[in-house]
Amino acid sequence: DTAVSQTPKYLVTQMGNDKSIKCEQNLGHDTMYWYKQDSKKFLKIMFSYNNKELIINETVPNRFSPKSPDKAHLNLHINSLELGDSAVYFCASSQEGSTDTQYFGPGTRLTVL
Amino acid sequence: SQQGEEDPQALSIQEGENATMNCSYKTSINNLQWYRQNSGRGLVHLILIRSNEREKHSGRLRVTLDTSKKSSSLLITASRAADTASYFCATGPLSGSRLTFGEGTQLTVNP
């Protein structure tokens, strides 16, 4: 069974559209994250949730809105997509705090045309 | 500027050789972690070393930590073609709530 799963794996869309990426973890972890990896492989944290509560919210445009219906799921909704949003988005989870070992999903490659 | 900076940015070696990657950071840490990312995949945790530890081993991996120099190294011994990947260090700060990842070292092991 996959520990951290994301859907879809690839997402190609037009500028201005709204899209969502879903993430689920079956590890029983309390903390989940969204990261953005750019074309140079630089990985930057976007959001972190602990037991459905937002604990980290980096300076991300408010077009990005995370939603955690329960502690096993953390979805990312993006409004009014822009060219600069093209990247690979990774979901991750950890058992304890945000500096604990993190388990990553396979990533969602978003391409905005 | 980045908390963790890897050196070198790219490393190409022959199978069987050892590979050493370095990571430097700026602020005090609680722990330092190394992750591997194969092309098109998510990051996989390799090893975590705490600030009060100096060396840690896991299979063919050896990690050292020098808090006085704010640096860490990852040694992969007897490398294999399957070790080809990007390797990232990530620092967990003493006071802070997130890991900060470096920019990675791209390791290529030629068969």
Side-chain angles (χ1 to χ4, degrees):
Chain A
D1 284 343
T2 305
V4 182
S5 59
Q6 294 178 229
T7 54
K9 188 166 174 60
Y10 299 98
L11 189 50
V12 181
T13 188
Q14 299 286 333
M15 269 176 53
N17 284 350
D18 303 338
K19 290 293 178 185
S20 292
I21 307 172
K22 294 186 176 182
C23 177
E24 176 181 1
Q25 55 97 1
N26 62 5
L27 297 167
H29 290 168
D30 284 338
T31 309
M32 295 185 71
Y33 314 82
W34 277 109
Y35 286 89
K36 179 180 179 180
Q37 187 174 47
D38 63 23
S39 58
K40 295 186 177 179
K41 293 197 172 181
F42 175 51
L43 197 69
K44 184 174 179 182
I45 191 166
M46 301 173 69
F47 301 103
S48 172
Y49 270 73
N50 181 271
N51 207 8
K52 300 195 297 175
E53 284 193 30
L54 181 67
I55 57 172
I56 295 174
N57 184 351
E58 287 295 294
T59 50
V60 176
N62 57 16
R63 298 181 295 104
F64 290 79
S65 53
K67 285 187 172 51
S68 182
D70 55 61
K71 75 172 196 176
H73 296 84
L74 181 61
N75 304 321
L76 183 65
H77 188 75
I78 316 170
N79 289 327
S80 304
L81 278 156
E82 300 178 356
L83 294 176
D85 297 332
S86 294
V88 182
Y89 292 83
F90 287 99
C91 177
S93 71
S94 67
Q95 186 168 11
E96 295 180 6
S98 303
T99 58
D100 194 13
T101 297
Q102 297 190 9
Y103 296 80
F104 283 78
T108 295
R109 181 174 293 276
L110 172 65
T111 303
V112 182
L113 303 174
Chain B
S1 60
Q2 294 305 305
Q3 166 70 331
E5 295 184 5
E6 284 93 340
D7 168 55
Q9 287 190 330
L11 180 61
S12 182
I13 59 174
Q14 294 300 121
E15 220 168 14
E17 293 180 342
N18 295 343
T20 300
M21 288 159 270
N22 302 298
C23 171
S24 60
Y25 57 92
K26 294 182 171 60
T27 61
S28 296
I29 60 170
N30 178 48
N31 68 62
L32 186 144
Q33 302 175 36
W34 285 92
Y35 288 80
R36 183 188 74 230
Q37 184 180 29
N38 290 85
S39 181
R41 302 287 186 95
L43 279 74
V44 174
H45 180 259
L46 295 176
I47 202 162
L48 180 153
I49 186 165
R50 301 198 185 279
S51 60
N52 61 354
E53 297 175 310
R54 291 296 166 259
E55 189 170 311
K56 210 160 181 181
H57 297 253
S58 176
R60 292 183 297 112
L61 306 181
R62 173 178 167 247
V63 168
T64 61
L65 178 64
D66 187 336
T67 52
S68 66
K69 293 182 180 177
K70 291 188 168 56
S71 68
S72 173
S73 67
L74 170 66
L75 168 68
I76 304 174
T77 59
S79 64
R80 306 166 182 167
D83 294 328
T84 295
S86 293
Y87 291 81
F88 294 87
C89 69
T91 51
L94 264 183
S95 57
S97 57
R98 81 258 344 249
L99 287 183
T100 302
F101 286 81
E103 295 176 0
T105 293
Q106 173 61 48
L107 173 66
T108 302
V109 181
N110 301 299

